[in-house]
Amino acid sequence: MPTVTTRDGVEIFYRDYGGGRPVLFLHGWPLNGEAWEEQLRLVAGHGYRGVAHDRRGHGRSTPVWDGYDFDTFADDLNDLLTALDLREVTLVGHSMGGGELARYVGRHGTGRLRSAVLLSAIPPVMVQSADNPDGTPAEVFEDIKSGLLAERSQFWRDTAEGFFGGNREGNRVTQGNRDAFWLMAMAQTLEGGVRCVDAFAHTDFTEDLRAFDVPTLLVHGDDDQVVPIGAASARAATIVPRSVYKIYPGGSHGIALVPGEKERFNADLLEFLRT
């Protein structure tokens, strides 16, 4: 299997398709790089090099006990970019992967980057506070952790509905979407699943977003039930310089996977890559 060894000995599995200018995809929680399989094929088929890795503790990367924080994730990403010597890269981050992207920019700069895409991404900060009244109440994250610890398999089956908008009238969510979500979620370590909740709930990426100096596309569905748009991309778009902000009416959190939504995102992604 193609892997890169991080500075602390973790094996990071990655997919690497095609050739040309690189596009590196960062998956959300609790998924892995397989979530991007359709987009990897898309960009590789249009003359780009598509790369997607499994975050530590997810998928086929090392199932570690610790290191589930955004500084570590950003440094893992830097290790991957350095080992593959990727330059002029477009980073595409979904959900938690958007936080990973933002923290990478904050810690390592944009010297290797051409552009960035934040899809249904968590920055600037998720948890509700006096400074972030549109955020998600802290008790919601505690309930997520409790559900994981009580019986994670059923928790993931239940969570898939809101993730894809399968609980909305007229949705086009497939059983395949639900099954793929469950399979990827079960390949995440339980400790990683719980620790990641604390990380994505409470990490503030505001200063990281201010460090962006490359063209950035922000895409978010206005019916996202996992990362509500008001505290996320709506605010991020006011912070990130040189950004283009696209709202998908009725769009779910799983935009890149749901029929009817993924086709629009794929077209917008290709258009952005070409400009």
Side-chain angles (χ1 to χ4, degrees), residues 161-241:
E161 291 302 307
F163 188 97
F164 293 116
N167 52 358
R168 298 305 199 214
E169 184 176 353
N171 74 83
R172 297 175 64 183
V173 179
T174 66
Q175 189 59 45
N177 289 146
R178 297 177 177 93
D179 292 345
F181 178 90
W182 178 87
L183 187 64
M184 285 185 273
M186 291 298 289
Q188 175 197 61
T189 67
L190 178 56
E191 181 67 8
V194 173
R195 295 274 293 278
C196 283
V197 175
D198 289 330
F200 66 66
H202 299 284
T203 303
D204 189 336
F205 300 99
T206 303
E207 293 306 313
D208 302 301
L209 294 177
R210 290 187 175 128
F212 279 52
D213 60 2
V214 295
T216 302
L217 172 65
L218 296 97
V219 175
H220 216 118
D222 66 4
D223 192 31
D224 190 324
Q225 299 173 64
V226 178
V227 180
I229 191 172
S233 294
R235 291 187 64 195
T238 68
I239 301 171
V240 178

Side-chain angles (χ1 to χ4, degrees), residues 117-132:
V117 179
L118 295 170
L119 171 64
S120 310
I122 63 174
V125 61
M126 283 199 73
V127 72
Q128 188 179 68
S129 67
D131 294 329
N132 189 35

